Structures are given as structure tokens and as C-alpha cells.
């Protein structure tokens, strides 16, 4: 039972006798279905009504539309790291979990994850669910057809092991594309996101200033990706669709950037596209440019919730180490609590869908050295709506690198600077 110092109007506790219906909105693959049932069995007076939105971007739109309207948000709302900065601009619209015992359980989480969910005034507005250490997904069958090694340890060495670089990644891509006539990666957007997330400071400096125009390091990375894409390394797939999952089955591309939570996305895509473990996907303990965190989420409680205390109890329970281990096994993501991460690493359970790769243990290795990059209020808008269209022009071979970069700068002016 959590310590409580809730204010008037915070509603009843889940452990009470009053019948309570709690609503919760998540996105993508969260792996909570069995946990909802388990919680309802432990708390017979609680009914959970979940809503799942297909992507984090659509969940952002849903959340801010309802924030603007002043109503409609669920009792618990999942927030993606990419738009956490925008949520922090309106953090007073969310319950301070310090009022429900946050300080009593803060040691569960990696320090930086707990701090990410804390606003400038020290209000804890979200408990972390998962983090996004990233490895390299690759298709072993396609690698063999191209004369490349398929054993995951040999693949890690092929890409450079601890010294893996984007230079090597794109050089291997050029070799693969020349031999097979096929693409190396699914589309430019996800590769770009990984390259930016590895920078010490991404779209914003650590003190919140825009960090794009005049950023020579970012421009160099953009040009490197543009050259590979214009030379045929991109399959120009549509993110979150991939031809209804068929592109993961028909050999359209051979590599894919894989933060832990993406393993669940691929599982869903393979099933939608009619594929299974025989399709050939595997997961290697390596990533170009070294450690990187992509994504991760938080559970928050809007102040409009009529059941704040009960919602806080469920939020704390869902993000506890025991439940994070179960969530990780269901969704393939990587936990944000220290104890759950250690459990996943020690179990080294094989993942049948990825050629029996010990995906949890690999992600634990990939998490070493990861540092969360500061995310500003328009980070996700810049990724999806500023650079997304520009990178799509490259994927479609409809612009040079200079033309695509200029379009991104024009969109940055219209959507962020002048908005």
C-alpha cells in the first residue's frame, strides 16, 4: 500500500470496497493485457477499461487535443519520451505522484529515468515503464544469400563490435545493395532518429535551445544518410505500416534499427504479413555509433481523473519490477527499473521469433553506457513533421541532400520557430 497524502477529490483507493472503473490509454505494443486481468483479480472492486492507440505520434495528438479541450483524458495516460518535453510545459495538468508515495519507491528506477519524469518544480508526473537501449535486427537468411555471416556473434564483429560505426554500416550496405540489388534498411526516418539520438545534444541543447540550424555535426550525419539513401540503400517503406507487414517477410530490406520496444512491433508486423520465425530475423549485440536510447514511456495521471488515488496505485503496480518483467516478456521491451533489468539479463531467455536470440540479455548489454538525451517541447514534431517529409523525398529519390535539408529548414521555420 502506497503512502498517500492525496488532496480532496482524489477519489477512492483501489484497495477499498467501492466499485471503481479506471480508464487507461497506451500506444503501440505495451504488453499490459494479462496484467490488467491480474490486477482486477487482486482488486475485485476495480474494472480496467483500456484504450490502445496505434502509434506514439497519434497518441500525442490524442492527448494534446483532450488537454486543449479540458476533458476526455483517461485516468492513466501513457506518455512517450519523444513528447515528454511538451508534456512538461503543462505539467501542472498532471497529478504530482509525490502526493501518492513517489519518494518511497523512487529507488526502483534508473536515476535518469526517474528524473525524466520529474518537472522543474520537483513534481513527479510520470512513472517510467521502459527504456530504449538499441541493438541491430538483421535477417540472417538475406545475409547468407549475400555472402555475409549470419551467426549473431559474427555479425556483431562484422559491424565492428564495440567500435561499430555508421561508416561501417553504410559501407556494408553498399556492398549488400550492389550484390543483391535490394535495400539495406526499411526507410531513412528510423536510421536518422538513431543517428540524432546518439548526439550529446539532439534537436535541442541541454538548456532547451533549438540546435539544428548551423549544427555542422547534424548536417554531416544528414549528408551521410542522404548519400546512402540516394544510392539505393533505403527500401522507402512507410513507417508503422511496412506494406501491412509484408516488407518484413518478402526480403525488402536486411537490417532494421531495434530499440527493445521495437521487437514487439516487429512481432506484430510479422504476424500481420504472414511471417514467423522462419522468416529469418535475428538480433545482434551491436549498434552503429555505440549505445543509444530511443524512446521509452511513462504513466501519468491527469488532474481531471476522478480516481487519482486508485489510478496512482495501479500506476505504481504496473511499473513495479515484477510487472515490468512480465511486460517485457509480453511486449519485448526493456524495463526501466533496476531489479527488472537485472532479472531479464540473468534469465537470458531465448526469443523464438528472433532465431532464439537472448534478446533481454542483449538489451541489457546495449543499455550499458546509454544516456538519455534532453528532449525539447517540439522534439517529436521535428522528428516526424520537419525531417520526416524531407527524408521521404530522399527515399523517393526526388531531392538532393541539399534540397531535402532546405525543405527541413523551411518546415522548421513554419512548424516550430514561427508557430
Amino acid at each position: 500500500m502506497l503512502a498517500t497524502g492525496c488532496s480532496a477529490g482524489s477519489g477512492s483507493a483501489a484497495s477499498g470496497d467501492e466499485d471503481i472503473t479506471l480508464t487507461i490509454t497506451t500506444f503501440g505494443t505495451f504488453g499490459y493485457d494479462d496484467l490488467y486481468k491480474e490486477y482486477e483479480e487482486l482488486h475485485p472492486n476495480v474494472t480496467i477499461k483500456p484504450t490502445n492507440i496505434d502509434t506514439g505520434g497519434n497518441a500525442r495528438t490524442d492527448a494534446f487535443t483532450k488537454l486543449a479541450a479540458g476533458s476526455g483524458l483517461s485516468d492513466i495516460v501513457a506518455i512517450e519520451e519523444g513528447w515528454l518535453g511538451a508534456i512538461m510545459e503543462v505539467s501542472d495538468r498532471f497529478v504530482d505522484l509525490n502526493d501518492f508515495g513517489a519518494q518511497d519507491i523512487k529507488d526502483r528506477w534508473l536515476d535518469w529515468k526517474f528524473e525524466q519524469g520529474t518537472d522543474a518544480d520537483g513534481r513527479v508526473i510520470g512513472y517510467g515503464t521502459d527504456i530504449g537501449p538499441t541493438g541491430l535486427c538483421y535477417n540472417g537468411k538475406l545475409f547468407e544469400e549475400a555472402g555475409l555471416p549470419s551467426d549473431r556473434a559474427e555479425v556483431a564483429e562484422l559491424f565492428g563490435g564495440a567500435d561499430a560505426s555508421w561508416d561501417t554500416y553504410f559501407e556494408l550496405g553498399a556492398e549488400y545493395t550492389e550484390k543483391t540489388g535490394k535495400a539495406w534498411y526499411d526507410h531513412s526516418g528510423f536510421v536518422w532518429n538513431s543517428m540524432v539520438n546518439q548526439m550529446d545534444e539532439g534537436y535541442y541543447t541541454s538548456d532547451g535551445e533549438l540546435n539544428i540550424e548551423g549544427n555542422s555535426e547534424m548536417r554531416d550525419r544528414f549528408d551521410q544518410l542522404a548519400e546512402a539513401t540516394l544510392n539505393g540503400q533505403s527500401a522507402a517503406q512507410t513507417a508503422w505500416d511496412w506494406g501491412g507487414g509484408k516488407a518484413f517477410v518478402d526480403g525488402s530490406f536486411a537490417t532494421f534499427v531495434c530499440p527493445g520496444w521495437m521487437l514487439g512491433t516487429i512481432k506484430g508486423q510479422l504476424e500481420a504479413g504472414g511471417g514467423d520465425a522462419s522468416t529469418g530475423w535475428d538480433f545482434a549485440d551491436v549498434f552503429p555509433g555505440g549505445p543509444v536510447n530511443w524512446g521509452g514511456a511513462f504513466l501519468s495521471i491527469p488532474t481531471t481523473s476522478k480516481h487519482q488515488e486508485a489510478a496512482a496505485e495501479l500506476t505504481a503496480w504496473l511499473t513495479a519490477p515484477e510487472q515490468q518483467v512480465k511486460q517485457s516478456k509480453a511486449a519485448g521491451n526493456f524495463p526501466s527499473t533496476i531489479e527488472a533489468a537485472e532479472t531479464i539479463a540473468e534469465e537470458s531467455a531465448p526469443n523464438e521469433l528472433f532465431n532464439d536470440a537472448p534478446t533481454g540479455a542483449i538489451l541489457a548489454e546495449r543499455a550499458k553506457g546509454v544516456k538519455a538525451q534532453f528532449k525539447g517541447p517540439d522534439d517529436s514534431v521535428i522528428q516526424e513533421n520537419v525531417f520526416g517529409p524531407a527524408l521521404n523525398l530522399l527515399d523517393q529519390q526526388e531531392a538532393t541532400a541539399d534540397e531535402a535539408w532546405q525543405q527541413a529548414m523551411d518546415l522548421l521555420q513554419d512548424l516550430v520557430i514561427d508557430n
Side-chain angles (χ1 to χ4, degrees), residues 310-324:
E313 286 188 44
L314 174 56
T315 298
W317 186 85
L318 285 170
T319 56
E322 297 85 351
Q323 280 62 254
Q324 286 201 350

Side-chain angles (χ1 to χ4, degrees), residues 253-276:
F253 52 89
T255 65
F256 192 75
V257 295
C258 275
W261 50 267
M262 194 70 86
L263 300 176
T265 299
I266 294 177
K267 178 177 184 291
Q269 290 295 314
L270 280 174
E271 291 172 350
D276 53 26

Side-chain angles (χ1 to χ4, degrees), residues 261-315:
W261 50 267
M262 194 70 86
L263 300 176
T265 299
I266 294 177
K267 178 177 184 291
Q269 290 295 314
L270 280 174
E271 291 172 350
D276 53 26
S278 67
T279 307
W281 285 97
D282 208 323
F283 187 54
D285 182 7
V286 69
F287 198 74
V292 60
N293 185 75
W294 178 7
F298 301 80
L299 297 183
S300 296
I301 302 169
T303 54
T304 51
S305 170
K306 295 181 180 178
H307 305 291
Q308 294 176 14
E309 185 175 2
E313 286 188 44
L314 174 56
T315 298

Side-chain angles (χ1 to χ4, degrees), residues 66-88:
K66 290 171 178 173
L67 279 169
S71 63
L73 287 170
S74 297
D75 294 299
I76 301 172
V77 177
I79 294 170
E80 188 183 78
E81 183 206 40
W83 39 283
L84 179 64
I87 289 292
M88 286 299 183

Side-chain angles (χ1 to χ4, degrees), residues 44 73 157 174 327 347 351:
L73 287 170
E157 285 303 310
Q327 180 194 18
E347 288 184 348
N351 188 321

Side-chain angles (χ1 to χ4, degrees), residues 362-381:
I362 290 174
L363 287 169
E365 287 298 311
R366 300 312 314 160
K368 294 178 179 176
V370 162
K371 295 179 181 177
Q373 187 186 77
F374 176 81
K375 300 296 182 184
D378 288 312
D379 230 279
S380 61
V381 172

Side-chain angles (χ1 to χ4, degrees), residues 1-2 14-15 22 24 31-43 46 48 76 97 100-101 105 108-109 127-129 299 301 308-327 337 340:
M1 179 76 180
L2 293 173
S15 53
L22 292 176
I24 178 169
Y32 274 172
D33 289 348
D34 288 343
L35 290 175
Y36 295 150
K37 295 175 185 174
E38 184 178 341
Y39 194 81
E40 288 175 332
E41 290 174 358
L42 292 170
H43 302 81
V46 174
I48 298 173
I76 301 172
L97 292 169
F100 298 94
I105 58 176
R108 287 176 174 176
W109 286 274
Y127 287 151
T129 61
L299 297 183
I301 302 169
Q308 294 176 14
E309 185 175 2
E313 286 188 44
L314 174 56
T315 298
W317 186 85
L318 285 170
T319 56
E322 297 85 351
Q323 280 62 254
Q324 286 201 350
V325 170
K326 296 173 184 177
Q327 180 194 18
T337 60

